[in-house]
Amino acid sequence: MSAVTHVKGLQILLLAPLGWLAACSRPAVQPAGAPTPVYNKTTGQLEQLVSDRNGDGKPDTWAFMTGTRITKIELDRNAERQPDRWEYYSAPPADGSPTIIERADEANGEDGRTITRHERYARGVLQRVDDDTAGDGRPDKWETYEGGRLARVDLDLT
């Protein structure tokens, strides 16, 4: 074996592990819309999952966590870079089943901050919705659900 071949072979042997090490140290490429985890710097516990659901390059969904349990989700549905829907989740049931939604609030008014819709759930199933469709700060539409299906709508037309 010539010295040149030997040197080239040695270089290849040395560079291959370095290339592998460099590849392992790079962060994994997340698919579009995949959540990005945020961990507590002190405890290392998962605190949040942030994602871009519509793929415009801006975060629009923030899931707040206590470890693996979701406690609240905030959504930016209109791409204004601020939440306009808030979902609140139950403590985990004793049987180990996942947490379930208890209530949700939405800001559908012109300012994007004033809550105009309140949703209430029982065991994760929609039961009642109070809605301020006139934007005057008072509910004027009430929906009642039975088994998750709309059963009744009451309106204040005055």
Side-chain angles (χ1 to χ4, degrees), residues 72-110:
K72 176 174 74 168
I73 296 177
E74 295 181 351
L75 302 155
D76 174 11
R77 298 169 299 145
N78 56 10
E80 290 182 345
R81 303 188 95 177
Q82 67 182 16
D84 50 26
R85 179 175 169 89
W86 301 263
E87 298 177 354
Y88 301 90
Y89 291 79
S90 68
D95 66 3
S97 57
T99 59
I100 52 177
I101 190 168
E102 289 185 330
R103 69 182 175 96
D105 297 320
E106 290 184 4
N108 295 315
E110 290 186 29

Side-chain angles (χ1 to χ4, degrees), residues 45-130:
Q45 185 176 39
L46 179 62
E47 289 186 328
Q48 202 176 97
L49 294 173
V50 180
S51 61
D52 173 16
R53 294 177 311 126
N54 62 8
D56 67 356
K58 301 173 195 164
D60 55 20
T61 305
W62 301 266
F64 294 85
M65 316 285 291
T66 300
T68 59
R69 183 176 84 80
I70 295 173
T71 58
K72 176 174 74 168
I73 296 177
E74 295 181 351
L75 302 155
D76 174 11
R77 298 169 299 145
N78 56 10
E80 290 182 345
R81 303 188 95 177
Q82 67 182 16
D84 50 26
R85 179 175 169 89
W86 301 263
E87 298 177 354
Y88 301 90
Y89 291 79
S90 68
D95 66 3
S97 57
T99 59
I100 52 177
I101 190 168
E102 289 185 330
R103 69 182 175 96
D105 297 320
E106 290 184 4
N108 295 315
E110 290 186 29
D111 68 0
R113 294 182 179 156
T114 303
I115 295 174
T116 58
R117 180 179 173 92
H118 302 279
E119 299 173 2
R120 301 298 178 254
Y121 296 79
R123 293 181 294 283
V125 178
L126 185 60
Q127 298 293 306
R128 187 179 90 232
V129 175
D130 299 334

Side-chain angles (χ1 to χ4, degrees), residues 26-48:
R26 288 186 205 132
V29 175
Q30 296 277 29
T36 301
V38 176
Y39 296 94
N40 182 295
K41 291 178 181 170
T42 304
T43 66
Q45 185 176 39
L46 179 62
E47 289 186 328
Q48 202 176 97

